[in-house]
Each structure stands twice: as structure tokens, then as C-alpha cells.
Amino acid sequence: MGIFKNAIDSIVLGIEDYNSDDPRRILSSTRNLVAGILLLIKHRLAELSPSGSDEVLIKQRVLPVLDASDGVAWKGEGKKTVDVQQMKERSDSLGITVDWKRVEKIVKHRNDIEHYFSSLNHSALKGLLSDSFIIIRDFLRTELCLDPLVALGEETWSTLTEVSEIFIKEKAECLDNMESIEWEHPFLKEAITEWVCKKCGSFLIDVEEPHVEPESVTFKCRSCGEKYDYETGAEGAIKEYYVTENYIAAKEGGDPVTAECPNCFREAYHLSEDVCLICGESVERRCQRCYTSIPSCELDGSGYCSWCNHMMSKDD
Ligand SMILES: [Zn+2]
Ligand SMILES: [Zn+2]
Ligand SMILES: [Zn+2]
């Protein structure tokens, strides 16, 4: 019962933090909510651990031991408990249903909130509360067979429900407005709809005016009011959208997803689609002199690789 009580306490505290007027409690609201959700999942893993196994399913270190009948059993070792990745592996393997995409999203968002956003505000937390609401509701009902209203108490539950309803309605309005614009490429539209305000971390990015040409779009954050012009906003969204793939490519070698566009100089040239997601430019990718493919870092729109460019400049 210990883990479950801690989970519920943590969620209740997170909502108390949210409902407080003190801006310093915004951070602790996200910490408490995310911690509470992870504890709920741990509680389920602990529940499923065989008795006498020292809650093997939530321990990072697991060791085989001989049981009384000379069979092998697994036992948890030490105090360290599972991280999110291990929780996911074990839950999947045991058939515990968790909306991992959402859980990973709020864990990442909590980390980002700790480090990146200069002007956190209440309104910016709505998206995180809405995701938390959906995870908690479904997990309590389907995995723990509990009524969320009873488990969390009326105050906590009604805040979660109300904030989530408002957020979903507002997000739908933003998406409708986004839909009214003919974006250069469907990938740009995808990136923009998932984009988070650089200043406050809100998911509620809107366009100031619907039904305009993409170049005349101004993005506006509904939570803090920050505005972004078309190119700045689109580039920010694309960078964020491909950040993981591009990071892995930079670390382990291989082509990134995007490179700097030789036409608009934004980090928006999609290499496998062979088009800039912002300005629509498409450049020659095979060198017209030596016929090898031009490395992504040498794309300058000339149609030649840097070696051939160099050789030709010597010929002049
Ligand atoms: Zn904002
Ligand atoms: Zn471009
Ligand atoms: Zn060449």
C-alpha cells in the first residue's frame, strides 16, 4: 500500500501546487505530477511481484536465487528502482497497459521545464495536466480497477478534468487554424502542430490570422503571447521535431534528416524528401562533374561537390 499512497499523495500535491497563486510552485507541480504517475505504474509492478521476491519487478538489479525446491527464482537486490525505460520493458512484457507515448512526453516536458523555459506560467502547464489526466484516468480504471474520483478526491479530480477539457478545446482551435493554411510540406505541418513555445513551454501555439499565405503567417503562443514570424517559427518547429534523429546522426555518423537550405539558409532542407520544408527549394544532389552524391554538409545549390568546386576554381 506504501507506493500507492505515495503516488496518490504526489498527484494531489501536484494539483495543489497548480491551484496555488505562487509562481514558484509551478515547477513543483510538474515534478509532483510526473513522480505520482511513475509511482502508480511502479505500484502495479510491485503488486505483480511474487511474494518473497523483494518487489523484484521494481528493482534495477535482479539476481537469480535457488528456492526451497532447488528451482531458480528471481529476487530484487539493493535499493535502486527501475528507470522509465525498464518500467516500459517490464510493463510491455507483462501486458500492463500504459500510454507510454504520453508518459515519455510528460517526462521529457518536465526535464525541459527544469532547464529551458524562461517564462513559465500557469497557462503553459495546461498541456501537461491534460496528458496527466488521460494517463491517470486510464491507468486507474483499466489497470487498478479504481474510480479516479474516489481514488484522488473531488478537488484533485475536478481540476484535472476541467483543465484538460479547456486544453483539448483550445488545442483543437489551434489545429483548426493551422489547417486553414497551405503549408509548404505536410512534414512542416506535423512539426508545427507538435511544437512547444520556446519561451514558456506551452503546447498552445496558434496562428495570429488563419487563411493566409504561409509566408505571412505569424505564430502566437496562447499562453504567454510570444510571437514568431513564419521562418523563425517554422525553423524552430522543424529543429525540435527532428532533434533526436539529428542528434543521433551527429553522434554516430550518417546523414541527418535535415540540413541548412542553400536557398533560405534555414535548417529546414529535408534530405530524403529532397526539398526545403520552408521555402520549397529543391537542389541537385548529385555532383554534375564527378557524379558522386554531394554530402549534406556541402549542399550549396551549385550542383557540384566541394572538391569539384575547388578543382574548377583552379582551372579558371
Ligand atoms: Zn509561450
Ligand atoms: Zn529553404
Ligand atoms: Zn564532384
Side-chain angles (χ1 to χ4, degrees):
M1 209 56 191
I3 303 175
F4 181 72
K5 189 180 177 304
N6 286 344
I8 297 296
D9 284 352
S10 199
I11 294 167
V12 170
L13 262 177
I15 295 302
E16 273 175 31
D17 287 328
Y18 177 81
N19 283 332
S20 136
D21 293 330
D22 188 344
R24 287 171 302 183
R25 288 177 66 180
I26 290 178
L27 209 63
S28 81
S29 174
T30 69
R31 284 186 192 146
N32 280 323
L33 272 175
V34 175
I37 287 170
L38 295 179
L39 281 169
L40 271 186
I41 304 169
K42 274 186 195 164
H43 160 70
R44 183 75 183 116
L45 286 170
E47 232 183 19
L48 289 173
S49 302
S51 63
S53 71
D54 272 330
E55 297 182 321
V56 62
L57 291 171
I58 59 166
K59 293 291 168 66
Q60 267 201 10
R61 231 166 103 79
V62 173
L63 294 175
V65 287
L66 289 177
D67 64 17
S69 54
D70 271 358
V72 170
W74 295 92
K75 224 175 150 149
E77 162 82 13
K79 280 202 163 53
K80 269 198 155 173
T81 59
V82 279
D83 60 25
V84 177
Q85 187 54 36
Q86 288 174 310
M87 281 163 75
K88 182 175 183 304
E89 284 165 11
R90 294 181 191 182
S91 300
D92 286 350
S93 165
L94 290 162
I96 302 173
T97 315
V98 181
D99 188 342
W100 284 109
K101 216 176 149 209
R102 252 182 240 278
V103 172
E104 280 159 1
K105 184 173 158 200
I106 61 166
V107 170
K108 177 180 182 299
H109 200 61
R110 178 204 57 197
N111 295 343
D112 287 349
I113 281 177
E114 309 246 350
H115 302 110
Y116 299 128
F117 309 121
S118 55
S119 77
L120 278 178
N121 63 55
H122 246 92
S123 169
L125 280 195
K126 279 189 239 164
L128 186 116
L129 252 75
S130 178
D131 281 324
S132 303
F133 162 76
I134 294 166
I135 300 167
I136 294 167
R137 179 195 62 191
D138 294 349
F139 196 78
L140 285 175
R141 282 189 188 150
T142 53
E143 281 302 325
L144 304 178
C145 300
L146 292 171
D147 178 351
L149 172 66
V150 178
L152 292 165
E154 209 201 315
E155 213 182 311
T156 304
W157 188 237
S158 63
T159 302
L160 274 169
T161 318
E162 280 158 27
V163 173
S164 182
E165 270 170 17
I166 296 167
F167 172 80
I168 288 168
K169 191 171 157 282
E170 281 196 78
K171 183 73 190 173
E173 287 167 9
C174 295
L175 293 178
D176 267 357
N177 290 339
M178 295 287 184
E179 201 67 47
S180 76
I181 309 234
E182 296 205 10
W183 302 103
E184 189 59 50
H185 196 280
F187 290 174
L188 172 59
K189 191 169 117 190
E190 267 173 47
I192 287 168
T193 53
E194 289 193 17
W195 192 37
V196 168
C197 173
K198 281 278 162 232
K199 204 166 159 222
C200 74
S202 168
F203 296 118
L204 295 172
I205 300 273
D206 200 353
V207 289
E208 212 168 30
E209 227 189 305
H211 304 287
V212 295
E213 290 299 311
E215 308 84 68
S216 352
V217 160
T218 303
F219 297 102
K220 188 178 175 187
C221 170
R222 284 201 180 196
S223 299
C224 74
E226 183 76 0
K227 291 181 186 178
Y228 306 84
D229 65 48
Y230 171 63
E231 287 196 4
T232 312
E235 185 184 38
I238 291 164
K239 272 188 178 168
E240 195 55 41
Y241 194 64
Y242 294 117
V243 67
T244 313
E245 285 101 321
N246 284 345
Y247 173 76
I248 292 171
K251 214 175 116 201
E252 292 168 7
D255 254 351
V257 182
T258 53
E260 190 187 276
C261 169
N263 183 47
C264 69
F265 303 108
R266 297 285 183 172
E267 202 57 36
Y269 197 87
H270 196 289
L271 291 163
S272 62
E273 290 284 302
D274 224 341
V275 69
C276 174
L277 303 182
I278 292 182
C279 72
E281 176 78 356
S282 187
V283 295
E284 187 57 64
R285 293 283 298 282
R286 195 163 285 280
C287 175
Q288 296 304 293
R289 185 168 175 270
C290 70
Y291 301 104
T292 59
S293 76
I294 307 171
S296 59
C297 55
E298 291 176 15
L299 276 186
D300 60 2
S302 68
Y304 299 102
C305 71
S306 69
W307 172 248
C308 291
N309 264 328
H310 171 71
M311 292 309 283
M312 287 186 300
S313 70
K314 280 210 317 204
D315 294 342
D316 290 341

